Amino acid sequence: MRIGVAQPRHKPGDVEFNRLQMLEAANLAQENECELLIFPRRALTGRITGSEPQLHKLMEMQEQALLWLSEHLGTMAVCLGTMGIRKQGNGELSINDCITLLNGRPEEDLPPAQPYGVWQGFYVGEKRVSVCLYNHALLGKELSTPEAELLVVLTEDGWTTSYPTVWAKLSALATTAKKAIAFASGAGIAGSRVLMGNSSILLPTGRFQTLGLSPSTTPLILDTEDLQRSDSEGSENDSPLNSSTIQPLPTNGEDSAPLAQESAAHHGQEDAQPQHLAEALEVGIREWFYSNRLTRAVLGLSGGIDSALVAALAQRALGAENVLGVLLPSRYTSQQSVDDALQLAQNLGIETKTIPIDPVCKQAEQALSPIFGAMPADTTEENIQARARALLLMGISNKLGHVLLNTSNKSEAAVGYSTMYGDMCGALAVIGDLYKGQIYALARWLNTEKTVIPEQIINRPPTAELHPDQTDQDSLPPYSVLDCALHLLVDLGLPTAQLPEHGIPQETAEQVQKLVRQSAYKREQMPPILKISNDPFGKANGEIDLKGGWVL
């Protein structure tokens, strides 16, 4: 049986666009004489919420698209995940998942609501296939249909830094069942959640072929009769599935004593390598811009590590010609920061503009002087600097049509080390789901082949330069300590009383917890975060509300 697995680009709620993308993949599969083509979960609708009339309209459109697709498939069978709705006992609608088969013969009627990890059977000709919706916690369940020739797993889950566990579980299932697995996963972006992609065919001995992270209408095509032969012979396109080769993401070496190593140990061998993390962020940026019909980006270049990394990722995702860097120096900005920012821009080949902010700040301070009187300067004046930069960047964004990229990181967002309507400004928080240690690690990886981010940016102590001789550690614990505390408190949900067992002093644990709690209102006003972890701030699952206008 010749099978194809596809992960075309899709837009949540845009059934017409998704239908045409699926048809393109189906045409290619038919040209290659596929007998079965497999699409991901919710392939036509994406993850959607909405009012009852909107959801009923979406279901009607999905049904029409399925009928239309079935008329264009010839004799080829198609298996895909679809969306269903039903009323609960309290009268409220619930959204559930279904498995839909076109042109195939189900073993029995597939239920309208499909539980995760429950295997259902169908036939393509006389060949039996078992299919289920992906849930990594249930993939170890014993198969109820051991005679199936092929196992099919459908998902539209998000990509996370712990994605290697997915492959480990899929590989274990293939090995235990002694069968090939066709894994169809949504690719691209849902809202600001990067999707898993990497639709694959996995062999029982742990080898696999994959489509990668980016969306593609070109299916992965293999003959089940050739699987054992190709597995024994191997090929240049096969990749060894060996979880022991996946190393934990390194931390920033500048102050990475036992605490940073402790934090990395918690992630263990389940963290993605830096190159995979970079790819996920690049795909997220590119697909977010595509889904919002945008092309060009602008960001402030401070000479610091955060803006440097965002600039580098944007340049890789969008091209240098579509990225504008703006230097916004104040009287507190060092010449080194200016030189480093210009060197970064030169390395990336991006255009820069320079706008001193002191005149804007002085105007604001003069306007406020009747109210402030003789009150001493404090963080108010520092925040005016951050908001002056945001004002100028948004002006450029409006006039030139460039989208402002936010450069805040997860460590800062967690403890509120940011200025509302200042450095929190922007349309997309590119690194808002990365801790500071991950940012340093990713910057170092980008420099492995050639210097992209100047070494002095990586080695220099981080500073906002809002007053003389300022560093981040004036207000915060060292980032290696802070990141470890945040991982334990936010990601693992441990109480502060347990943090000393992991090397975090009790006083520091309570300080970090207090900062996290009192800055929650700030995080509510952050721009959408490009989500690539299991525990991002903001809505994590990538659902899109239909009131955004895709359907009605």
Side-chain angles (χ1 to χ4, degrees), residues 2 111 148 159 205 207 209 285 292 328 345 456 468 475 479 544:
R2 175 164 284 194
W159 188 96
T205 55
R207 299 181 68 85
Q209 289 184 319
I285 294 169
N292 288 286
L328 299 153
Q456 54 268 31
S475 307
Y479 278 115
I544 303 298

Side-chain angles (χ1 to χ4, degrees), residues 106-396:
E107 185 178 58
E108 56 187 36
D109 289 340
L110 298 179
Q114 186 64 41
Y116 292 108
V118 174
W119 294 91
Q120 298 290 322
F122 66 91
Y123 291 87
V124 178
E126 298 303 317
K127 308 289 179 63
R128 194 179 192 287
V129 179
S130 285
V131 58
C132 81
L133 296 173
Y134 168 79
N135 184 300
H136 67 273
L138 298 174
L139 279 178
K141 293 181 64 172
E142 182 178 353
L143 288 174
S144 58
T145 54
E147 70 277 13
E149 183 170 323
L150 175 73
L151 306 181
V152 173
V153 179
L154 311 179
T155 188
E156 198 214 7
D157 281 7
W159 188 96
T160 73
T161 49
S162 60
Y163 84 98
T165 59
V166 175
W167 308 117
K169 289 180 180 291
L170 288 170
S171 179
L173 176 61
T175 301
T176 302
K178 296 183 173 60
K179 299 182 188 300
I181 294 178
F183 176 65
S185 172
I189 199 164
S192 61
R193 160 62 80 182
V194 180
L195 296 178
M196 188 180 297
N198 290 292
S199 295
S200 307
I201 296 178
L202 298 97
L203 305 185
T205 55
R207 299 181 68 85
F208 69 92
Q209 289 184 319
T210 180
L211 288 172
L213 192 59
S214 296
S216 174
T217 54
T218 302
L220 176 63
I221 298 174
L222 284 176
D223 287 294
T224 56
E225 289 82 0
D226 294 337
L227 289 177
Q228 293 300 326
R229 178 176 60 81
S230 64
D231 190 39
S232 61
E233 295 176 0
S235 73
E236 292 182 359
N237 293 325
D238 286 335
S239 302
L241 185 65
N242 184 356
S243 61
S244 65
T245 65
I246 298 170
Q247 300 299 322
L249 191 66
T251 54
N252 174 24
E254 65 173 318
D255 53 6
S256 59
L259 288 171
Q261 296 166 10
E262 174 81 14
S263 181
H266 278 292
H267 295 283
Q269 302 250 331
E270 298 182 354
D271 271 353
Q273 295 179 4
Q275 61 265 36
H276 300 136
L277 185 60
E279 182 188 9
L281 292 168
E282 290 166 32
V283 169
I285 294 169
R286 185 162 52 248
E287 292 301 314
W288 185 86
F289 270 73
Y290 179 88
S291 66
N292 288 286
R293 302 177 179 89
L294 303 168
T295 57
R296 295 174 294 177
V298 62
L299 74 158
L301 295 181
S302 67
I305 187 70
D306 295 333
S307 62
L309 180 59
V310 172
L313 292 170
Q315 182 256 15
R316 290 164 66 102
L318 306 174
E321 69 279 8
N322 290 316
V323 180
L324 173 62
V326 183
L327 283 71
L328 299 153
S330 75
R331 58 189 179 275
Y332 303 119
T333 303
S334 67
Q335 187 60 44
Q336 181 182 350
S337 294
V338 174
D339 293 342
D340 290 347
L342 291 174
Q343 182 62 56
L344 169 75
Q346 182 178 330
N347 293 351
L348 296 175
I350 65 174
E351 182 184 2
T352 62
K353 303 291 183 184
T354 301
I355 309 174
I357 66 167
D358 282 341
V360 180
C361 295
K362 288 178 181 178
Q363 287 284 346
E365 291 168 3
Q366 288 174 7
L368 292 166
S369 61
I371 300 173
F372 290 175
M375 297 173 68
D378 54 16
T379 56
T380 304
E381 284 71 22
E382 295 180 7
N383 290 338
I384 287 174
Q385 295 175 58
R387 290 169 182 142
R389 291 185 169 108
L391 171 69
L392 296 170
L393 287 169
M394 285 306 303
I396 293 170

Side-chain angles (χ1 to χ4, degrees), residues 3-17:
I3 62 173
V5 182
Q7 55 177 39
R9 176 183 279 122
H10 78 282
K11 296 179 181 178
D14 194 342
V15 175
E16 174 66 12
F17 176 87

Side-chain angles (χ1 to χ4, degrees), residues 39 53 55 159 302 336 374 385 400 412 446 466 482 534 536 540 545:
F39 288 108
L55 291 174
W159 188 96
S302 67
Q336 181 182 350
Q385 295 175 58
L400 302 185
E412 294 170 350
L446 289 173
L466 297 175
L482 178 61
N534 287 319
D545 197 310

Side-chain angles (χ1 to χ4, degrees), residues 369-428:
S369 61
I371 300 173
F372 290 175
M375 297 173 68
D378 54 16
T379 56
T380 304
E381 284 71 22
E382 295 180 7
N383 290 338
I384 287 174
Q385 295 175 58
R387 290 169 182 142
R389 291 185 169 108
L391 171 69
L392 296 170
L393 287 169
M394 285 306 303
I396 293 170
S397 174
N398 291 160
K399 184 64 71 174
L400 302 185
H402 291 54
V403 176
L404 178 59
L405 296 180
N406 177 274
T407 61
S408 299
N409 62 65
K410 191 172 186 178
S411 302
E412 294 170 350
V415 296
Y417 192 65
S418 55
T419 301
M420 290 171 57
Y421 321 117
D423 56 346
M424 289 176 62
C425 206
L428 179 68

